[in-house]
Amino acid sequence: MRITVPPRPEPGDHHVAILFMVPAQGREQIRLNRGIGAPIYITVPGPVDDTVKITRLAMPSFSPGGPIRISATFRNTGTVHRDFRGEKGRLRLRVGGGTVTLPDFTVPRGETRNVSVQWNDPPAMCRCRAELAFPSRDGSMQRAAASVTIFPVVRATVVLVGLVLLGLVGLLGRRFYRGRVTAAAEVLRRQEDAETATTAGKDAMPDTTDGR
């Protein structure tokens, strides 16, 4: 393959795709082609710009708990691709008091790239803010942010139901105890009334003994 460069090419990346094909095989009605494509990046020397802008940082606005998926969208507005690879080049997302590292990726010239990462250990409950920032060639910072409210609905519901059941059990137990105390007091009162009536009857009976 030979590539002819124009007299005054635009500096930066230029994309070429080479497609290797084999002759079609099959019957006349149905013919199958097989091919392999190979992308090639040609970089023309000169002043270049690898500006990449982050256009969106997205995450669920609410989560009941567990891992959370965070995605970022990048747009290359420069003249060459930009790599975010290796220990120094990888982007790190600040969220929930910690960091989450994005996977290695490249944003080609004039293209938009969406990259996702999973936040595996969020706190049980919080209003968490995720922030992503990285420098451009001119020294300015590209920034984006998103927020999520984490509240364990299922766990809170279980706890609430448990508290309600405990309250009902306590209420029923208190009523049962009061009923037993009231019944015992009624029995004692009846016994006292009976003893009082017996004593009063004895005092009212005439003395039939001989005066001698």
Side-chain angles (χ1 to χ4, degrees), residues 112-178:
T112 299
R113 186 75 186 272
N114 187 272
V115 182
S116 297
V117 67
Q118 185 165 281
W119 183 20
N120 292 317
D121 54 351
M125 182 171 58
C126 77
R127 174 65 177 174
C128 295
R129 178 180 174 87
E131 296 181 349
L132 182 61
F134 59 92
S136 298
R137 179 179 290 272
D138 59 2
S140 62
M141 295 293 293
Q142 295 290 326
R143 300 179 183 273
S147 298
V148 59
T149 300
I150 303 176
F151 184 77
V153 177
V154 176
R155 189 179 304 175
T157 302
V158 171
V159 173
L160 181 61
V161 171
L163 292 176
V164 171
L165 291 177
L166 288 176
L168 290 176
V169 170
L171 181 61
L172 293 176
R174 185 179 299 176
R175 289 185 177 180
F176 179 74
Y177 176 75
R178 286 181 178 177

Side-chain angles (χ1 to χ4, degrees), residues 188-200:
L188 291 175
R189 186 183 64 79
R190 290 179 180 177
Q191 290 179 353
E192 291 178 356
D193 292 345
E195 292 177 357
T196 302
T198 302
T199 303

Side-chain angles (χ1 to χ4, degrees), residues 15 24 36 43 46 76 79 81 104 110 112-113 115 129 135 150 162 179:
H15 305 165
I36 298 176
T43 302
N76 190 321
T79 58
H81 68 277
D104 293 346
T112 299
R113 186 75 186 272
V115 182
R129 178 180 174 87
I150 303 176

